[in-house]
Amino acid sequence: MNQSQHTPYQFKQADSDNWGLVKRFHKQTKLRTPQQNDRVFLVLKAESIIGVARFVKQHQAWWLRGLYIQPDYRQKHLATGLIKFALNSLAAPCYAFAQPGLTPFYQTLNFQPKQHTELPTELAELFELYQTSKPQLQIWYKA
């Protein structure tokens, strides 16, 4: 667990001890429930989940499958802190698909834009599927 003395927030990787809490949070926020093999990272305040990041293993890299911070806690740089914490824990390259409005967020985290032709095959297929409903999606990569 990582907690600063100057903030009430904690960043933590979800584990079997809090998996029930993670599933409940996803249900309450109408997010897709993570699979057991996913890596889920949490932002906690007073032991309550206020944000999650979900990563799925794709070959030798991770795919940021979902990122959510509760509305009352947005604009506090918690998503940035959560992703930094997660990337440090994962210690492997990471891909993300995001709307154009999130470009500054990913640039702040030193992600680089990629073309769909540069994706591993499975991720390229997922990206094409996502683009049918979200044609403006961009691909981001951090080594």
Side-chain angles (χ1 to χ4, degrees), residues 88-100:
N88 186 51
S89 298
L90 295 170
C94 181
Y95 291 92
F97 305 158
Q99 295 291 343

Side-chain angles (χ1 to χ4, degrees), residues 30-114:
K30 298 182 177 150
L31 298 171
R32 178 168 285 180
T33 302
Q35 301 299 307
Q36 202 66 36
N37 291 335
D38 294 350
R39 291 289 244 344
V40 179
F41 294 86
L42 312 172
V43 180
L44 301 166
K45 182 178 180 185
E47 298 303 316
S48 294
I49 298 174
I50 59 169
V52 295
R54 175 181 169 204
F55 293 83
V56 177
K57 186 74 169 177
Q58 292 288 335
H59 300 286
Q60 302 299 316
W62 292 93
W63 170 39
L64 175 56
R65 172 68 179 81
L67 175 62
Y68 180 83
I69 303 293
Q70 287 186 351
D72 290 348
Y73 295 95
R74 294 179 185 167
Q75 305 301 318
K76 298 178 186 296
H77 305 285
L78 294 173
T80 301
L82 179 59
I83 296 301
K84 285 180 179 180
F85 178 79
L87 292 174
N88 186 51
S89 298
L90 295 170
C94 181
Y95 291 92
F97 305 158
Q99 295 291 343
L102 292 172
T103 295
F105 173 74
Y106 285 99
Q107 288 174 332
T108 297
L109 291 163
N110 296 316
F111 276 73
Q112 301 298 314
K114 290 287 182 186

Side-chain angles (χ1 to χ4, degrees), residues 119-137:
L119 289 171
T121 304
E122 288 180 23
L123 268 179
E125 291 170 359
L126 285 169
F127 183 73
E128 289 174 14
L129 181 65
Y130 275 62
Q131 274 200 308
T132 60
S133 63
K134 299 174 183 174
Q136 300 299 318
L137 280 182

